Amino acid sequence: MITPAIKNKIMAIVNVFETGTPEGRYDAIAIFPDGRNGSRQITYGRSQTTEQGNLRNLLERYIAIGGKFSGEFNAFLPKVGAVPLVDNKDFKDLLKKSAKEDPLMRQAQDETFEILYFQPALHFFTAEQFALPLSLLVIYDSYIHSGSIPGFLRVRFPERTPLRGGDEKAWIAAYTKARQNWLATHKKKVLHPTVYRTKTFIDQMSKGNWMLDQPVTTQGKTIA
């Protein structure tokens, strides 16, 4: 059963992956050349949504709930995802300022990541009849980092999900290894170092920590 405490632990681990802290850095901004055709783009917030991805969705939500800086963001909104803002200092400063000074930006981020990432991950987890907390961590992280459980990875190994009569632990282990190999050999070299995520999962599997009832250490942080 996925209790609120387990969900919080899963969120904390992924927050460490994304921004280096269990609580998550809502004002975090990073620039990576992982956009369309290798273009540079802003990644922002607790779970690092991207300029060419769901950043506009996040800002629309923030504006809709009456955020303090809505008027200033309105001026940028038509450009987000359409015109590169990666070198626009005013826009990046506004992202940081809003997260630091307005609780509604933090609320908008929590709601956005819940709706666009956690709920779809939980749907896959439930629909395919997974049950173990570590399985949900693997699945949720894949949604955060890769957008889904990509079909092209699922066909790289023979294991089946529990819904299809397979063994849960075998499927999760096989998927994690397939994802790790994909990240390690990706044409976008910026993804190569992110295998620390899959290595963390493999380490937990080796410890038998399927219930996530043992502490998890990753990136120098321990989540109890």
Side-chain angles (χ1 to χ4, degrees):
M1 180 179 176
I2 305 302
T3 64
I6 287 295
K7 179 181 177 181
N8 288 341
K9 187 167 186 176
I10 288 170
M11 293 287 190
I13 294 166
V14 175
N15 285 346
V16 171
F17 290 162
E18 294 290 291
T19 62
T21 70
E23 302 77 20
R25 285 184 51 214
Y26 290 86
D27 67 329
I29 289 180
I31 308 297
F32 293 113
D34 59 354
R36 290 184 287 273
N37 300 314
S39 59
R40 295 162 59 247
Q41 65 172 334
I42 295 167
T43 67
Y44 171 65
R46 192 200 85 203
S47 291
Q48 295 284 279
T49 192
T50 62
E51 180 181 354
Q52 296 174 25
N54 285 310
L55 180 56
R56 180 173 179 140
N57 185 299
L58 166 61
L59 296 180
E60 288 174 342
R61 182 176 301 279
Y62 174 71
I63 291 166
I65 62 176
K68 177 180 176 181
F69 300 97
S70 294
E72 293 170 70
F73 276 120
N74 261 322
F76 287 107
L77 202 57
K79 299 178 181 179
V80 179
V83 177
L85 294 170
V86 66
D87 294 315
N88 190 306
K89 184 178 183 300
D90 290 341
F91 180 64
K92 291 186 288 185
D93 287 348
L94 184 59
L95 289 172
K96 278 187 165 289
K97 185 177 181 182
S98 63
K100 286 181 177 178
E101 298 182 15
D102 189 1
L104 288 182
M105 175 53 85
R106 297 189 284 278
Q107 177 185 326
Q109 288 192 32
D110 288 343
E111 291 175 356
T112 298
F113 297 131
E114 173 75 18
I115 292 167
L116 295 183
Y117 301 103
F118 187 77
Q119 287 302 322
L122 184 62
H123 175 76
F124 179 89
F125 173 85
T126 304
E128 297 294 333
Q129 297 181 5
F130 291 97
L132 299 169
L134 180 56
S135 299
L136 182 55
L137 171 59
V138 168
I139 292 165
Y140 176 57
D141 183 66
S142 187
Y143 272 81
I144 283 285
H145 193 231
S146 304
S148 65
I149 302 290
F152 66 84
L153 288 182
R154 293 183 67 179
V155 299
R156 294 185 182 182
F157 55 90
E159 282 74 17
R160 294 169 294 173
T161 64
L163 175 66
R164 288 159 179 77
D167 178 84
E168 175 168 355
K169 293 180 181 179
W171 191 95
I172 290 293
Y175 175 72
T176 300
K177 290 172 184 174
R179 184 173 163 220
Q180 177 163 293
N181 182 64
W182 172 62
L183 292 172
T185 59
H186 202 284
K187 64 181 180 180
K188 292 181 179 178
K189 292 185 179 180
V190 69
L191 290 175
H192 295 183
T194 65
V195 294
Y196 65 79
R197 307 170 89 112
T198 48
K199 287 180 178 179
T200 297
F201 305 146
I202 291 169
D203 181 52
Q204 296 311 306
M205 292 175 208
S206 72
K207 294 176 179 176
N209 193 18
W210 288 94
M211 297 303 294
L212 294 182
D213 50 359
Q214 303 170 35
V216 176
T217 299
T218 185
Q219 303 302 94
K221 303 288 184 180
T222 298
I223 300 92

